[in-house]
Amino acid sequence: MKNTEKYRTVIEPFKIKSVEPIRMTTRQERENILAQAGLNPFMIKSQDVIIDFLTDSGTSAMSAAQWGAIMVGDEAYAGARSFYRFQEKVQDIFGFPIVIPTHQGRAAEKILFSTICGPGKFVPNNTHFDTTRANVEFAGATAVDCLTEEGKDPSLITPFKGNMDLEKLEAVIRERGAENIPVVMLTVTNNSGGGQPVSMKNIRGVSELCRKYDIPFFFDACRFAENAYFIKLREPGYASKTPLEIAREMFSYADGCTMSAKKDALVNMGGFIALRNEEWAQQFRNILIITEGFPTYGGLSGRDLEAIAQGLDEVLDEDYLHYRIISTAYLADHIAELGVPILQPPGGHAVYVDAKAMCPHIPIEQYPGQAIVCGLYLEGGVRAVEIGSVMFGTYDESGKLIPAPLELVRLAIPRRVYTQSHMDYVVEVFEELVRNRDALRGVRIVKEAPVLRHFTAQFEYV
Ligand code: F0G
């Protein structure tokens, strides 16, 4: 294998054909911008951001081949050639015969859960992503997270911290009754748990339990290629398999998946549901036609379907995946060397800073994660997102904050967008931040929405 040449720099395995300028800002400008945004980076214009680590979703750089495919998109309302190319590619990788396009991941979730869930139903998952949980709950059912205990320990280094706790899963099935569990979901990689992978052994274990109790098993497949590559690197018996072979094996144990193509299909918009059960598919298509569109385009243009088909090929390229995983670890290792406490080991798509450990001088009620997010922006125009008590905190009857279990800051890395020198720049920003960490200040919320407050909340320094 070419990329075992570990003594060499892992270069970006692409040449840059098209560029998007980054506007440089001064610290003084950023102070004004952040103040105007109410200390909330979601409210900052992207043109005022130097390095944007808000999300890896929909932010990928497309390849020349994807842009080329866009030009040949067939925009027929029904039976477009582009749909058949897309369908064939999904069938080839995922192995599910039925493929239903949607405009993004949460639209696939909405269709799945609104069909099969309802009051009195329970959906287990290693960890529900927030839109997944919201769609389960919106359908009247209860979302249950069954992550292993080791997955909850930020500093523990083990290979598969995204694994489902099989004992917990079986206990939930017994307690709630298999007839009340319409589906078991497994999120690969586990985004909300730090982008940690799930092992093939664990996938097999979930599958066996689902067979035993006759419960359908679905993947939340957003980052399936990154998960497949972690299996190749870390699980005995997989080193000589290709990412495609590993992905095929992963999905062979399941009955279907929801997918946000905005991650591991390397596109800016798109998603799908793929499955084996024709009866469910009929019901899904009925909702699809009302909410998304005709089953051969489902909320997407023909050109989007082309770009997804091409992206799914490219994402499984081993040189790409090697660069992807190594470049995330590069950022993680370098900021960890500076003494920044991070969630270990680094995940596939993001680096998570443990804000509580980095800023012990800021009480939880003053949101240490938000303080770091503000510091990153002021110091270097780096946009990150708080994943802690701003995002998941609630209040008790007396109005006291019930904090989230962890106070994290996520640096999500867009695919194929930034080079190693961009990463070096972010490391330098962290160096400065660590040097002045005592100067980071806590914040209080001055305005917030009743749900998903992190998007629009306004803050001021305490
Ligand atoms: N499932 C997971 C695991 C996700 O990470 C996301 C999106 C979705 C489902 C929903 O997909 O955005 O296409 O509707 N995650 C993005 C993020 C938004 O920033 O982590 P979507």
Side-chain angles (χ1 to χ4, degrees):
M1 196 183 74
K2 296 156 279 178
N3 55 32
T4 48
E5 295 165 331
K6 286 213 174 93
Y7 55 93
R8 303 245 172 96
T9 300
V10 178
I11 62 167
E12 291 78 18
F14 45 81
K15 294 185 285 179
I16 296 168
K17 202 182 199 80
S18 174
V19 298
E20 190 177 349
I22 294 173
R23 191 175 79 85
M24 295 301 165
T25 48
T26 62
R27 184 171 178 118
Q28 186 55 54
E29 282 176 293
R30 292 195 293 273
E31 270 171 15
N32 294 336
I33 293 163
L34 189 63
Q36 267 176 17
L39 307 185
N40 184 348
F42 276 104
M43 308 305 278
I44 296 175
K45 291 180 183 154
S46 85
Q47 66 188 33
D48 295 331
V49 175
I50 294 177
I51 303 284
D52 204 345
F53 283 165
L54 196 62
T55 179
D56 65 318
S57 178
T59 51
S60 298
M62 291 209 294
S63 66
Q66 283 178 296
W67 286 110
I70 277 182
M71 285 308 292
V72 296
D74 177 357
E75 304 302 342
Y77 190 92
R81 185 185 60 245
S82 301
F83 170 74
Y84 292 103
R85 179 179 176 204
F86 159 81
Q87 177 177 252
E88 207 173 293
K89 184 49 67 188
V90 175
Q91 288 168 335
D92 180 46
I93 297 170
F94 295 74
F96 305 121
I98 306 166
V99 184
I100 299 173
T102 61
H103 81 273
Q104 64 183 92
R106 67 198 72 182
E109 293 165 357
K110 166 93 177 126
I111 289 171
L112 173 68
F113 297 124
S114 65
T115 306
I116 64 173
C117 284
K121 304 285 185 201
F122 295 83
V123 177
N125 199 323
N126 44 353
T127 314
H128 286 83
F129 179 66
D130 54 9
T131 61
T132 324
R133 171 175 291 275
N135 272 302
V136 168
E137 290 171 354
F138 193 70
T142 306
V144 190
D145 290 343
C146 301
L147 187 66
T148 55
E149 286 307 310
E150 66 174 34
K152 295 177 193 163
D153 180 346
S155 56
L156 186 73
I157 300 187
T158 56
F160 291 107
K161 285 171 78 175
N163 280 354
M164 183 87 87
D165 185 326
L166 298 175
E167 278 175 25
K168 224 180 276 175
L169 174 61
E170 185 156 27
V172 170
I173 297 173
R174 291 221 170 134
E175 189 187 335
R176 304 300 182 181
E179 67 284 4
N180 295 320
I181 300 183
V183 70
V184 170
M185 300 288 297
L186 190 63
T187 306
V188 290
T189 58
N190 186 25
N191 182 8
S192 306
Q196 301 293 326
V198 178
S199 72
M200 194 71 87
K201 182 163 177 247
N202 191 251
I203 292 169
R204 246 179 260 126
V206 173
S207 178
E208 278 160 21
L209 270 181
C210 287
R211 297 285 162 276
K212 178 172 164 191
Y213 291 97
D214 200 19
I215 301 170
F217 167 29
F218 270 52
F219 277 98
D220 178 338
C222 300
R223 300 177 180 86
F224 75 98
E226 289 167 10
N227 199 96
Y229 196 65
F230 277 122
I231 288 176
K232 181 180 171 77
L233 293 180
R234 296 182 183 173
E235 192 158 350
Y238 288 92
S240 63
K241 296 218 154 85
T242 64
L244 174 61
E245 287 168 337
I246 296 170
R248 281 182 181 146
E249 183 183 339
M250 286 164 59
F251 296 115
S252 73
Y253 299 119
D255 301 293
C257 71
T258 56
M259 170 84 184
S260 167
K262 298 173 73 169
K263 286 84 169 171
D264 269 352
L266 299 172
V267 294
N268 307 118
M269 192 51 72
F272 57 84
I273 311 178
L275 73 163
R276 307 184 199 279
N277 182 334
E278 184 52 48
E279 215 174 293
W280 275 16
Q282 274 308 332
Q283 297 174 54
F284 294 168
R285 287 193 198 101
N286 292 341
I287 304 178
L288 189 82
I289 292 194
I290 306 170
T291 59
E292 295 281 297
F294 189 72
T296 62
Y297 73 86
L300 293 169
S301 303
R303 54 179 170 268
D304 296 329
L305 296 167
E306 290 279 346
I308 294 172
Q310 179 63 32
L312 285 172
D313 252 347
E314 294 176 9
V315 81
L316 288 165
D317 176 81
E318 222 166 298
D319 289 337
Y320 161 75
L321 282 170
H322 185 65
Y323 138 81
R324 172 72 176 159
I325 300 305
I326 294 287
S327 64
T328 303
Y330 177 91
L331 175 65
D333 293 346
H334 280 77
I335 63 174
E337 269 167 31
L338 298 170
V340 176
I342 62 166
L343 201 152
Q344 292 284 7
H349 69 296
V351 178
Y352 294 72
V353 175
D354 183 342
K356 221 186 311 189
M358 180 161 163
C359 295
H361 63 290
I362 301 177
I364 303 301
E365 296 71 34
Q366 296 179 16
Y367 306 108
Q370 197 68 20
I372 293 174
V373 162
C374 291
L376 281 169
Y377 182 73
L378 287 180
E379 193 55 53
V382 176
R383 177 156 69 171
V385 64
E386 194 262 13
I387 302 196
S389 294
V390 174
M391 194 178 271
F392 296 123
T394 50
Y395 299 109
D396 68 12
E397 297 94 57
S398 69
K400 193 171 162 347
L401 178 75
I402 306 171
L406 293 173
E407 303 297 329
L408 300 175
V409 171
R410 184 179 81 166
L411 311 164
I413 303 171
R415 293 168 182 77
R416 303 193 293 204
V417 170
Y418 294 118
T419 64
Q420 189 165 328
S421 76
H422 291 112
M423 297 299 170
D424 289 338
Y425 170 85
V426 176
V427 174
E428 287 162 12
V429 170
F430 265 101
E431 206 170 350
E432 212 41 46
L433 211 62
V434 169
R435 195 170 301 137
N436 302 315
R437 77 168 90 184
D438 294 340
L440 287 171
R441 287 153 70 194
V443 298
R444 73 168 72 88
I445 296 179
V446 290
K447 201 170 135 213
E448 63 184 297
V451 284
L452 298 174
R453 64 176 181 172
H454 56 284
F455 289 125
T456 54
Q458 300 282 289
F459 304 86
E460 62 186 22
Y461 287 114
V462 176

